[in-house]
Amino acid sequence: MSMLTPPGMGGQYRITGDKYPRMRPPRRRRRLIVGAVASAAALGLIGWGTLQLIDVFTGGDKASASVGTKAAACRAPVSPSPSARTAVLPAPGRITVNVLNATTRGGLAKDTADELKKRGFKVGTVGNATKEYDKKVTGIGVVLGPAAAKDTALPVLATQLTGAEQRTEAGRKGGDVDLILGDGFKNLNSAQAADKALAALRHPAPAATAGKNDRTHC
């Protein structure tokens, strides 16, 4: 192989093969690659920062709503105010009771009426039951009244006689209610038990707390 010296080299390089040496040092290419990678990374960071700013200015309300909803779900349940139930339950002194005997035992209606009067109820008619109920009430008794008394006077009167059936009559007028004594009747509840039942009716206990596994995770 001949010894060649490229023009312009001034004899600085000596060629011993049949190929010319690379005119650009390899390090320069590496620098270009590193620079390109750094530029791409910088652009990526700028883009990510821009998205974060957009999210801050446009998503704040949604985040607040989400937090508010979760906070509301984690609040303890609020029990209804007892006054809401008390308002529709009349006092015994505002209830007129007709005491009717559907059994063959004499004097049962009078004795029961006297006891109800002692407990504050007004007493209306005292006597035998109508043909519809006479000798046909096999249970303790029936508390009967107009439809308007379903959630007012009837449950109050029923606290005096546990197990009495509560019924309403369609089209019945007036505010009086009937206590029809049946074959299973012996005595009214004790005054203490009746007062306790009436208090529970006016101020019902709050709903049972959810179990540990049923709680909302906050």
Side-chain angles (χ1 to χ4, degrees), residues 83-96:
S83 61
R85 182 68 183 271
T86 304
V88 300
L89 294 176
R94 301 184 62 182
I95 301 175
T96 299

Side-chain angles (χ1 to χ4, degrees), residues 82-97 119-122 143 145-160 166 174-177 194-195 197-203:
S83 61
R85 182 68 183 271
T86 304
V88 300
L89 294 176
R94 301 184 62 182
I95 301 175
T96 299
V97 183
R119 299 183 183 187
F121 289 90
K122 292 182 179 180
V143 177
K150 178 180 178 181
D151 297 319
T152 55
L154 291 186
V156 172
L157 179 58
T159 61
Q160 309 298 312
Q166 298 182 44
D176 293 3
V177 294
D195 290 343
L198 183 57
L201 186 66
R202 293 185 182 280
H203 306 286

Side-chain angles (χ1 to χ4, degrees), residues 93-112:
R94 301 184 62 182
I95 301 175
T96 299
V97 183
N98 303 315
V99 185
L100 307 176
N101 185 3
T103 74
T104 57
R105 288 176 284 168
L108 196 62
K110 182 180 182 304
D111 292 343
T112 303

